[in-house]
Amino acid sequence: MPNLPLLSSAYGGRPNMVSVEPQSIYGYQIRKPFAGEDKYFKSRPDVGGMAAEDGKIVLNPYSSLKEQEKMQVAKNEAIRLWIRDNKPELPFDVTKEQAKVFSKTEYGSNPQALKETIVARILTGDPSARVATPEQQSFANKLMSKITQSTQKPTITQSIMSAMGMKKK
């Protein structure tokens, strides 16, 4: 058997490290901030991220959040993007406490965006959503089920059956 060099020698003696951060969540890509977004984030380190207008998730590189918290922000923004794309009715009321907490934010003057962020924060366990009403929690659970179903990759068997025109019994 020939003596072959190790594959790692092709990489200068050490293999490249692979990032463990997800590249997308629920099908929405995470990208680096553009110049204008970077300027905004630099001035607002309290903002964890955003659901950008191009349909991508952008995390704030100046945020002091831990990696796990950043991933929760990314999940929150993915949920908001899914809501934006799929336009489900948000049939719940915002509590007075929730309205007050968000009154001086970007959401204070936008009732739709306020509902979107509240439901996304409920689903990611963000305490800034305050105490969810039973109506809000019920809606959030149903919404998460829809998001999971619509973004779930099909199994190999499902893909083959679909290609053959077969339906699941």
Side-chain angles (χ1 to χ4, degrees), residues 1 84 144:
M1 186 166 193
R84 186 187 300 166
M144 192 70 244

Side-chain angles (χ1 to χ4, degrees), residues 87-166:
K87 299 173 182 37
E89 185 181 344
L90 304 177
F92 61 84
D93 293 323
V94 173
T95 67
K96 288 180 184 178
E97 182 186 14
Q98 290 167 330
K100 183 180 178 186
V101 168
F102 290 101
S103 66
K104 294 184 177 153
T105 70
E106 295 84 355
Y107 306 111
S109 60
N110 187 335
Q112 176 68 21
L114 178 58
K115 284 184 170 187
E116 291 172 7
T117 199
I118 286 172
V119 75
R121 290 172 192 225
I122 290 168
L123 287 170
T124 57
D126 185 333
S128 68
R130 299 301 196 249
V131 177
T133 66
E135 178 187 36
Q136 290 172 343
Q137 190 64 59
S138 174
F139 175 79
N141 294 341
K142 289 174 188 170
L143 181 71
M144 192 70 244
S145 179
K146 287 180 183 178
I147 292 170
T148 303
Q149 286 177 338
S150 71
T151 60
Q152 190 174 33
K153 291 182 179 178
T155 64
I156 292 173
T157 302
Q158 290 168 330
S159 296
I160 292 169
M161 289 176 66
S162 176
M164 296 175 68
M166 298 171 66

